Amino acid sequence: MKSSAQSKAKLIPQGSKGSEMTGYNAKIDELREEEYPMLKSATYLDHAGTTLYPKSLIDEFSKDMMANLLGNPHSASSSSQLSSRRIENVRLGVLRLLNADPEHFDIIFVANATAGIKMVMEAFRDHEKGFWYGYHRDSHTSLVGVREAAAEHRCFHSDQELEKWLLLAGQRNATKVEKTKRLGLLAYPAQSNMNGRRLPLAWSGRLRASRNPEHQYMYTLLDAAALLSTSSLDLSDLSQAPDFTALSFYKIFGFPDLGALIVRKESGHLLRSRKYFGGGTVEMVTCVKEQWHVRKEGSLHERMEDGTLPIHSIVALDNALSVHARLFTSLERISSHTSFLAKQLYEGLEALHHSNGSAVCEIYKDPSSSYDDRLTQGPVVAFNLRNSQGAWVSNTEIEKLATIRNIHLRSGGLCNPGGIASSLGLAPWEMKRNLSAGQRCGNENDIMGGKPTGVVRVSLGAMSNIQDITTFLSFMEEFFVEHRTTREHDPVASPLFPEFYVESLTIYPIKSCGGWSIPPDKSWQIKAEGLEWDREWCLVGEGTRAALSQKRFPKMALLKPSIDVDHDLLRVRYHGQSQPSALTEITIPLSADPSVYKDQEDIGPKPYPAKVCGDNIMART
């Protein structure tokens, strides 16, 4: 049996590597004090969603905006020309970040990685014969959605399946296969946004080197958004680089909200088939009597960037590139730091055990990845929790409790349907059943049919530190590790099923507030609507007249009601920090007979129309 003390001890780095990382972590601690005031008393563990912006970035951007007059780059004024020069300099800065030679690569600014992916999809869709589309199981929904525009599509269920496809393609005899001119697009993420596993970047080069004529018109699309948040991407080898690479800058720098599509110029002609045009992407357009247009024939980005560019966001990106390099040196340095922290987190979670020896966490790590190897695993841990009896713990409850402790993480399907389904063993029929039973993106149906419907994801970033890991593991220990699982009272076994028994009963007198465990020596009435006093009360918003829930007001979990049967009272205490003058407890009389409220309109509480879980009710206040 592994103790919690053992898991904490692993946070103390050993050896020269540990000493080096400890020294760097001390620098990060200092940096956080100066640059990330929003992190005071907060533990931010959702860097895969977006990382955080430093104070000096906002300061430099503000100074830049006040010091320079920036006009619309489509004009000829000096302010417009300044904007144009700044934008072109930023293009070069981004390409340098990726070791991409501007002679061979172009950059198209878009809203985010999804917009870049959609741009590629629109261009391929508009080709005369359509296109074939293949995508990896670990793809974000932004990649999965491209299949809806394809004439034919295939999901590769594993690395091995895709490797086999590439291998067979390379062994085909070119003289025996009739050439097809239908375009093909193979898409995959550089890093899974669900569990952080890093996929082989060599697939792009291997597909390009294939001698199979069927692959003569095959191209690759890489979703690099998750990878670039904590790792570098080297596009210096033109033969190995993807044809199209989509990324989001807010995942790297925290600000601005901007994305880009990096295009190999040799493949740029494929985007020219896109039919839509807008803004400054054309040389001339006629609308009256005749309808025709002539597109710009200069650089690829001039042809593809519809309308006026987000000038100020691109200027902010200029500031972000310089500030990021000054604070963190390089993406490689960030990768080394976050990889070290991720290993501490993974080992700490893996070491958590209940007192009966059962594991607390079920961690979803791909067999091909290792937290010792930055090439195969990013700083992300995806997991679910079990109690000492092996039952799943609700992810909604985990997230609510984390919110109370000011810990920021993410739970749910994470926009990664293939990764979730394969990790949780969810067959299509089970997902259809869950959908028909009410599961929707973002709702609280997180355990259905005895299986979780999503995971908890903890992800690290450039400004994460050892204290973040310690705080999170302490949180897990406090709320989810059961230190005593022996029964103090002999359970009453069922005569029909002697192996089953009721170990404990918990009711929730006030909807969405804390639970109260019924004393083992107390008998409890079961009414037609359920256990007595369970969800008998609710807190109602004065303006909305709807019942409040923990999802919107997490601190409701700190309201702890209890049933005082001896004095016929509902007692409610608040277990968080409060003002010294605040009440420590309120009491509400119990009434087992609701009829006492009838015929009391003149002297008792008035009926109060409210809504609970979508149902209209008449509450009593």
Side-chain angles (χ1 to χ4, degrees):
M1 185 185 303
K2 299 178 182 178
S3 70
S4 302
Q6 288 175 310
S7 69
K8 290 181 179 178
K10 290 187 177 183
L11 290 179
I12 303 173
Q14 302 295 325
S16 59
K17 177 69 173 177
S19 299
E20 177 189 348
M21 288 295 100
T22 303
Y24 184 76
N25 187 78
K27 295 178 181 179
I28 294 296
D29 289 343
E30 295 175 7
L31 193 67
R32 283 167 62 123
E33 285 290 324
E34 299 173 4
E35 296 284 354
Y36 298 94
M38 72 286 280
L39 282 176
K40 289 182 179 178
S41 75
T43 304
Y44 187 78
L45 299 171
D46 191 22
H47 292 271
T50 182
T51 196
L52 304 177
Y53 47 83
K55 179 178 179 294
S56 58
L57 168 55
I58 304 303
D59 291 341
E60 289 200 14
F61 174 57
S62 179
K63 290 177 183 177
D64 207 342
M65 288 294 95
M66 294 299 100
N68 293 293
L69 180 61
L70 299 168
N72 189 315
H74 291 163
S75 301
S77 66
S78 59
S79 59
S80 299
Q81 293 307 303
L82 175 59
S83 294
S84 296
R85 290 195 300 272
R86 292 290 298 272
I87 290 170
E88 293 313 307
N89 287 338
V90 175
R91 290 189 202 276
L92 294 174
V94 172
L95 293 178
R96 279 195 298 270
L97 181 72
L98 303 175
N99 288 329
D101 187 345
E103 191 71 25
H104 300 294
F105 290 91
D106 203 348
I107 173 173
I108 301 169
F109 285 116
V110 291
N112 47 40
T114 297
I117 292 166
K118 188 178 179 184
M119 178 177 286
V120 176
M121 178 273 291
E122 289 173 342
F124 273 68
R125 178 194 61 194
D126 290 345
H127 277 266
E128 182 181 355
K129 295 185 178 182
F131 70 104
W132 174 92
Y133 183 60
Y135 61 98
H136 193 278
R137 174 198 72 192
D138 286 343
S139 296
H140 189 278
T141 50
S142 297
L143 285 182
V144 176
V146 175
R147 72 185 185 192
E148 300 304 308
E152 183 183 353
H153 56 82
R154 173 180 179 180
C155 175
F156 292 97
H157 297 169
S158 65
D159 291 7
Q160 292 73 24
E161 184 180 338
L162 199 153
E163 291 276 358
K164 183 178 180 182
W165 177 76
L166 288 171
L167 181 64
L168 292 176
Q171 293 177 345
R172 299 287 292 273
N173 188 331
T175 62
K176 294 182 180 181
V177 181
E178 182 181 354
K179 292 185 179 181
T180 175
K181 290 188 177 180
R182 172 181 281 181
L183 291 177
L185 183 64
L186 174 66
Y188 66 97
Q191 175 179 305
S192 165
N193 72 298
M194 189 205 89
N195 62 7
R197 70 162 297 227
R198 290 176 174 167
L199 285 73
L201 297 177
W203 286 341
S204 294
R206 289 179 58 186
L207 180 60
R208 186 174 295 117
S210 170
R211 293 179 299 166
N212 186 340
E214 293 180 358
H215 289 180
Q216 181 179 351
Y217 302 99
M218 284 278 183
Y219 299 86
T220 53
L221 168 60
L222 183 71
D223 177 3
L227 174 73
L228 281 169
S229 63
T230 55
S231 180
S232 60
L233 178 63
D234 189 349
L235 301 180
S236 60
D237 188 343
L238 188 63
S239 66
Q240 297 297 312
D243 296 291
F244 309 99
T245 301
L247 58 98
S248 293
F249 293 111
Y250 63 87
K251 290 185 181 289
I252 309 173
F253 308 119
F255 177 78
D257 298 334
L258 186 70
L261 181 68
I262 312 297
V263 184
R264 285 178 84 246
K265 289 184 177 180
E266 289 183 6
S267 309
H269 66 280
L270 296 165
L271 300 183
R272 296 175 182 265
S273 64
R274 190 181 67 143
K275 292 184 172 59
Y276 176 81
F277 65 87
T281 59
V282 287
E283 299 287 9
M284 184 173 289
V285 181
T286 66
C287 302
V288 180
K289 294 185 179 180
E290 294 182 5
Q291 288 81 41
W292 51 267
H293 68 277
V294 177
R295 289 184 179 272
K296 284 189 174 179
E297 291 298 330
S299 63
L300 180 65
H301 63 257
E302 286 181 319
R303 189 183 178 99
M304 301 303 297
E305 290 172 341
D306 302 316
T308 300
L309 284 169
I311 310 161
H312 305 117
S313 292
I314 295 173
V315 170
L317 178 57
D318 192 10
N319 302 131
L321 286 163
S322 60
V323 170
H324 193 264
R326 186 175 74 244
L327 296 182
F328 300 107
T329 308
S330 68
L331 285 170
E332 270 298 305
R333 195 71 185 86
I334 292 170
S335 179
S336 178
H337 171 62
T338 54
S339 178
F340 170 78
L341 293 180
K343 183 180 179 183
Q344 309 305 308
L345 175 62
Y346 170 72
E347 292 180 348
L349 291 173
E350 195 177 42
L352 294 176
H353 286 72
H354 298 294
S355 61
N356 63 2
S358 61
V360 175
C361 299
E362 182 154 330
I363 300 175
Y364 303 106
K365 186 185 75 66
D366 192 89
S368 65
S369 70
S370 168
Y371 284 93
D372 288 312
D373 183 5
R374 286 186 284 155
L375 293 178
T376 63
Q377 181 62 51
V380 179
V381 182
F383 60 93
N384 277 309
L385 302 183
R386 293 181 184 269
N387 64 22
S388 61
Q389 303 304 312
W392 297 108
V393 177
S394 165
N395 290 339
T396 302
E397 294 303 313
I398 297 170
E399 197 160 15
K400 289 173 182 175
L401 289 168
T403 300
I404 293 169
R405 285 288 187 265
N406 207 7
I407 296 173
H408 304 258
L409 45 76
R410 184 169 174 185
S411 69
L414 309 181
C415 297
N416 196 309
I420 288 290
S422 57
S423 296
L424 303 181
L426 290 170
W429 70 265
E430 291 177 294
M431 300 184 76
K432 289 179 181 177
R433 178 200 62 194
N434 293 348
L435 180 67
S436 64
Q439 184 194 356
R440 296 293 185 272
C441 179
N443 69 12
E444 298 185 4
N445 293 323
D446 51 16
I447 302 173
M448 303 184 78
K451 292 182 179 181
T453 60
V455 301
V456 177
R457 184 186 71 189
V458 174
S459 52
L460 306 171
M463 65 293 305
S464 298
N465 62 5
I466 290 176
Q467 185 58 48
D468 290 335
I469 310 302
T470 303
T471 298
F472 184 69
L473 291 177
S474 298
F475 163 75
M476 295 287 290
E477 176 100 23
E478 178 183 3
F479 287 102
F480 302 109
V481 177
E482 298 178 32
H483 297 285
R484 186 178 61 183
T485 57
T486 56
R487 299 186 301 274
E488 297 181 359
H489 300 268
D490 292 333
V492 179
S494 164
L496 295 177
F497 304 99
E499 68 274 23
F500 297 111
Y501 60 87
V502 176
E503 184 176 74
S504 65
L505 285 175
T506 300
I507 62 172
Y508 297 83
I510 305 176
K511 180 185 177 297
S512 286
C513 294
W516 180 70
S517 296
I518 299 172
D521 56 347
K522 287 279 188 182
S523 59
W524 210 258
Q525 184 177 357
I526 301 177
K527 297 184 174 182
E529 61 272 16
L531 290 168
E532 187 177 31
W533 304 122
D534 185 46
R535 293 170 177 84
E536 187 78 15
W537 293 269
C538 65
L539 302 180
V540 176
E542 187 174 6
T544 62
R545 294 199 172 188
L548 306 183
S549 69
Q550 265 192 48
K551 188 168 187 178
R552 294 194 62 186
F553 302 97
K555 288 191 176 182
M556 288 176 66
L558 297 177
L559 288 174
K560 301 291 186 181
S562 62
I563 303 295
D564 185 344
V565 180
D566 296 332
H567 298 90
D568 287 331
L569 291 173
L570 170 70
R571 300 184 181 276
V572 184
R573 285 180 171 270
Y574 178 63
H575 285 240
Q577 293 182 347
S578 58
Q579 298 295 328
S581 59
L583 290 173
T584 59
E585 179 183 85
I586 62 170
T587 59
I588 301 170
L590 299 177
S591 176
D593 182 9
S595 64
V596 299
Y597 290 118
K598 295 181 180 179
D599 302 324
Q600 300 289 325
E601 304 298 332
D602 295 331
I603 59 173
K606 305 291 185 184
Y608 186 85
K611 184 173 287 189
V612 179
C613 298
D615 294 331
N616 293 317
I617 65 165
M618 294 300 293
R620 296 281 176 169
T621 59

